[in-house]
Amino acid sequence: MSEKDTSNWTPSADMAEFQKVLRSSKNIIAVCGAGLSAASGIPTFRGAGGLWRKYEAMSLATPETEAFAENPSLVWQFYHYRREKARAAEPNAAHKALAVFSIPSYRKVIAPDAGFTIITQNVDGLSVKAMNQVLQKEGDPRPTGIATLLEMHGRIFDVNCTMRLCKHVEYNTSSPICAALAGTENAVEAGTIDAEIPKDKLPRCSKCNALARPGVVWFGEQPKYMPEIDKLVDAADLCLVIGTSSTVYPAAGYAAEVSDHGGKVAVFNLERSDGDGEADFLFLGPCEKTLPEALGLVKLN
């Protein structure tokens, strides 16, 4: 728990004051959640209309020994739907703001001495896509000092073999990933998944032909890059919390850890969340509007 007394605490919404803190920061992390991609058409999970209100999380996002083992057809239909949503989506202004801020030549104007890392819980690949688009526009494939981007919950387009002796991982953006899943995204959208697809018709490992699974981190599994992330959180003097309800750990605890060792926390969310108690700054509204303004990048679209 943070040592800050939050009983009567009201976070600031002063953009100018936040930008002073931003300018003096040395080690900045951005912890991103589903709200970052909402404006791109990617459904969120816990807000109004969220996917976990339509489907029970534990029936869709637990490992081979649980939900996936019990009903791989149901799980694959759900993740096929999410793959189709991600394929059709484009980065919004919030993704682009983070991507531009990642480039040292831009960042030094706003925060001259700051290092920067994006830690995203999102699996949709839109932060990576935004980064690639910005770099392509700049004509520089990988400038020195560019921010690191860590996809701690994996990638929706990774396909993992379930065979322990194989464990092949393949990046696959095919639509559909297998013929049997074609069109099932409509049933997921309507909340009417019921078709049982035989296991041998579901996605298979391209190396050993065993049943494959979506390459995302499910509940009960270890997020990726944890040693690196722990060091970044320990060193951070500014944590940007963007589009997350702050309910899924370990990411939900990062703001408190930064606050505990004297760092500042700025929250960018559409509505109040569990993480607000740690915030020095709170900017409510669509993050595709508030974040570019806060980072001094308001002309992004």
Side-chain angles (χ1 to χ4, degrees), residues 86-105:
R87 286 185 79 257
E90 288 294 329
N92 62 57
H95 294 111
K96 293 177 183 178
L98 291 172
V100 171
F101 192 70
S102 297
I103 298 175
S105 59

Side-chain angles (χ1 to χ4, degrees), residues 91-285:
N92 62 57
H95 294 111
K96 293 177 183 178
L98 291 172
V100 171
F101 192 70
S102 297
I103 298 175
S105 59
Y106 286 94
R107 190 168 65 250
K108 70 180 182 181
V109 177
I110 304 161
D113 301 316
F116 181 51
T117 303
I118 300 170
I119 302 168
T120 184
Q121 300 170 82
N122 297 337
V123 300
D124 53 43
L126 289 177
S127 289
V128 176
K129 193 172 186 178
M131 188 84 76
N132 290 338
Q133 289 175 352
V134 168
L135 291 174
Q136 184 176 18
K137 185 177 180 180
E138 291 299 305
D140 190 340
R142 189 59 53 175
T144 301
I146 190 170
T148 301
L149 199 167
L150 301 175
E151 297 170 284
M152 67 181 297
H153 288 170
R155 306 189 297 183
I156 194 71
F157 295 112
D158 276 350
V159 182
N160 296 2
C161 181
T162 59
M163 185 68 66
R164 291 186 180 277
L165 295 179
C166 179
K167 288 298 182 182
H168 178 64
V169 177
E170 180 177 296
Y171 188 75
N172 184 326
T173 59
S174 298
S175 174
I177 188 173
C178 67
L181 289 170
T184 60
E185 65 272 18
N186 298 321
V188 177
E189 184 77 52
T192 58
I193 302 179
D194 59 7
E196 181 67 29
I197 300 173
K199 282 187 179 181
D200 63 355
K201 301 297 183 183
L202 292 172
R204 315 297 294 185
C205 173
S206 63
K207 187 175 180 181
C208 74
N209 203 42
L211 180 66
R213 56 161 279 183
V216 300
V217 175
W218 282 330
F219 293 106
E221 295 181 330
Q222 177 78 4
K224 298 176 180 292
Y225 312 111
M226 287 308 300
E228 185 175 353
I229 290 172
D230 287 343
K231 290 179 182 178
L232 289 163
V233 172
D234 287 344
D237 55 6
L238 176 60
C239 177
L240 312 180
V241 178
I242 305 165
T244 174
S245 58
S246 297
T247 56
V248 176
Y249 285 83
Y254 294 157
E257 291 181 47
V258 172
S259 182
D260 280 348
H261 64 242
K264 300 293 185 181
V265 174
V267 174
F268 299 83
N269 262 336
L270 189 61
E271 55 194 9
R272 297 300 298 260
S273 72
D274 291 344
D276 294 353
E278 307 299 337
D280 299 281
F281 299 93
L282 175 61
F283 302 109
L284 294 178

